[in-house]
C-alpha cells in the first residue's frame, strides 16, 4: 500500500528544536517531489517547504526560512523537517505530502499533492 | 505571492442537491489549480488537478472548471460523505505554493 507516515511531533518550548520524519512505503520517496504543509487546528492549510525529486534546491515559506530545513534519506525512504528556533506560531499539525511536480526547460509543472500523510502535531509552548 | 480567495466560507446544502464552490486567484494561474477535500480528523485528499482533471478514484459527481483567475468546484449531487472542507491550491507561480482559506460544506 502506498502511504506516508509522519512522526516526531510533540511539545517543545519556544526557541527549541524538533525533527519531524515522514516514512514512505509503497513507492521510492527520492523519485518524487515531497513537501511539508501545516495546519493550525481548525484553520486552513499553509505550505511550509518542498524538495524536488531531482535533487534541486529546496524552497521554504518566508515564515520558516532560515529556521527549518527539509531533507531526505534515500536509504530509509524518509523525508525530514528539521525545525529550529521554534515559535508559538509554529504550533500546528504538520503533514508531509507527495507531488508529481518537476521542473524542466525553465518551467515547473504539476506541483500539486496527490498523497498525504496523517500528520503529526507540533505544540510550541512554555 | 498569489493570494487565493475561496467563497463562500460556509455552504449549507441538502443531500442530493448541487454545490458550487468558488476560488479566485489574485493573478492568473493558468490551469495550474488543484482542489482538495478534508474531512474532520483526516488529512486532505486530492480531488482535482489541472483545474478540471479528476484524481484517481474520485467520483464523477466532482467536477472542476475555470482558468486564469476564476475557478469552480461543482459537486453535482451531494452525498453524506461529501460534507467536508474544500481547499483550492495554485501551483503556477511559486514559491510560495498557496492555498485558499477553504469552504466548509455543511448539511442544510
Amino acid at each position: 500500500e502506498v502511504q506516508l507516515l509522519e512522526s516526531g511531533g510533540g511539545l517543545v518550548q519556544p526557541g527549541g528544536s524538533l525533527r519531524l520524519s515522514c516514512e514512505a512505503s509503497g513507492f521510492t520517496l527520492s523519485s518524487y517531489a515531497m513537501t511539508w504543509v501545516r495546519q493550525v487546528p481548525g484553520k486552513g492549510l499553509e505550505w511550509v517547504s518542498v524538495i524536488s525529486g531531482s535533487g534541486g534546491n529546496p524552497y521554504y515559506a518566508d515564515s520558516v526560512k532560515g529556521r527549518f530545513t527539509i531533507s531526505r534519506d534515500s536509504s530509509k525512504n524518509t523525508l525530514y523537517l528539521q525545525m529550529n528556533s521554534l515559535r508559538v506560531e509554529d504550533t500546528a499539525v504538520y503533514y508531509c505530502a507527495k507531488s508529481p511536480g518537476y521542473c524542466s526547460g525553465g518551467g515547473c509543472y504539476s506541483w500539486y499533492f496527490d498523497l498525504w500523510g496523517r500528520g503529526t502535531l507540533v505544540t510550541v509552548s512554555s | 505571492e498569489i493570494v487565493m480567495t475561496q467563497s463562500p466560507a460556509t455552504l449549507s446544502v441538502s443531500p442530493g442537491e448541487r454545490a458550487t464552490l468558488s476560488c479566485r486567484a489574485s493573478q492568473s494561474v493558468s490551469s495550474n489549480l488543484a482542489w482538495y477535500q478534508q474531512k474532520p480528523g483526516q488529512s486532505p485528499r486530492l480531488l482535482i488537478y489541472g483545474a478540471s482533471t479528476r484524481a484517481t478514484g474520485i467520483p464523477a459527481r466532482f467536477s472542476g472548471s475555470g482558468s486564469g483567475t476564476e475557478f469552480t468546484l461543482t459537486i453535482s449531487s451531494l452525498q453524506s460523505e461529501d460534507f467536508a472542507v474544500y481547499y483550492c491550491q495554485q501551483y503556477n507561480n511559486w514559491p510560495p505554493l498557496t492555498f485558499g482559506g477553504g469552504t466548509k460544506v455543511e448539511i442544510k
Side-chain angles (χ1 to χ4, degrees):
Chain A
E1 182 186 2
V2 177
Q3 64 179 6
L4 296 166
L5 184 61
E6 302 95 335
S7 60
L11 175 64
V12 61
Q13 292 188 337
S17 297
L18 212 54
R19 188 178 79 159
L20 305 183
S21 299
C22 168
E23 184 174 2
S25 55
F27 71 98
T28 302
L29 185 143
S30 59
S31 297
Y32 295 91
M34 297 295 298
T35 197
W36 289 96
V37 173
R38 68 185 180 184
Q39 183 175 39
V40 175
K43 303 298 184 182
L45 301 169
E46 180 189 14
W47 171 75
V48 173
S49 180
V50 69
I51 187 168
S52 69
S54 61
N57 290 335
Y59 294 94
Y60 300 93
D62 286 346
S63 57
V64 308
K65 198 174 296 182
R67 301 187 298 122
F68 289 13
T69 302
I70 190 171
S71 64
R72 61 182 167 220
D73 185 333
S74 299
S75 66
K76 296 182 179 180
N77 215 28
T78 299
L79 177 75
Y80 299 102
L81 186 67
Q82 177 67 43
M83 305 186 295
N84 298 331
S85 303
L86 281 160
R87 305 168 180 168
V88 171
E89 54 266 33
D90 295 320
T91 295
V93 174
Y94 285 73
Y95 297 100
C96 65
K98 167 183 162 287
S99 172
Y102 67 98
C103 294
S104 175
C108 291
Y109 308 94
S110 303
W111 288 86
Y112 53 87
F113 313 121
D114 58 5
L115 178 69
W116 295 66
R118 294 183 179 179
T120 187
L121 176 63
V122 172
T123 303
V124 185
S125 174
S126 55
Chain B
E1 172 177 336
I2 297 179
V3 177
M4 307 301 293
T5 303
Q6 292 186 241
S7 62
T10 303
L11 186 61
S12 298
V13 185
S14 299
E17 289 188 342
R18 183 185 193 92
T20 302
L21 289 67
S22 295
C23 175
R24 174 176 293 177
S26 60
Q27 63 189 80
S28 177
V29 298
S30 187
S31 295
N32 295 311
L33 184 106
W35 289 94
Y36 302 88
Q37 176 194 66
Q38 187 178 33
K39 298 178 182 179
Q42 296 186 16
S43 55
R45 176 176 72 146
L46 176 68
L47 295 176
I48 300 284
Y49 62 92
S52 61
T53 303
R54 279 189 303 276
T56 303
I58 300 304
R61 64 181 181 272
F62 291 91
S63 63
S65 63
S67 65
T69 61
E70 300 283 344
F71 300 88
T72 300
L73 175 69
T74 302
I75 311 171
S76 59
S77 176
L78 270 160
Q79 307 298 301
S80 57
E81 61 266 31
D82 300 335
F83 292 96
V85 180
Y86 294 83
Y87 295 95
C88 61
Q89 176 233 331
Q90 70 82 20
Y91 51 94
N92 187 69
N93 191 344
W94 63 277
L97 293 154
T98 50
F99 292 89
T103 291
K104 181 180 180 180
V105 177
E106 64 175 24
I107 300 174
K108 187 174 182 179

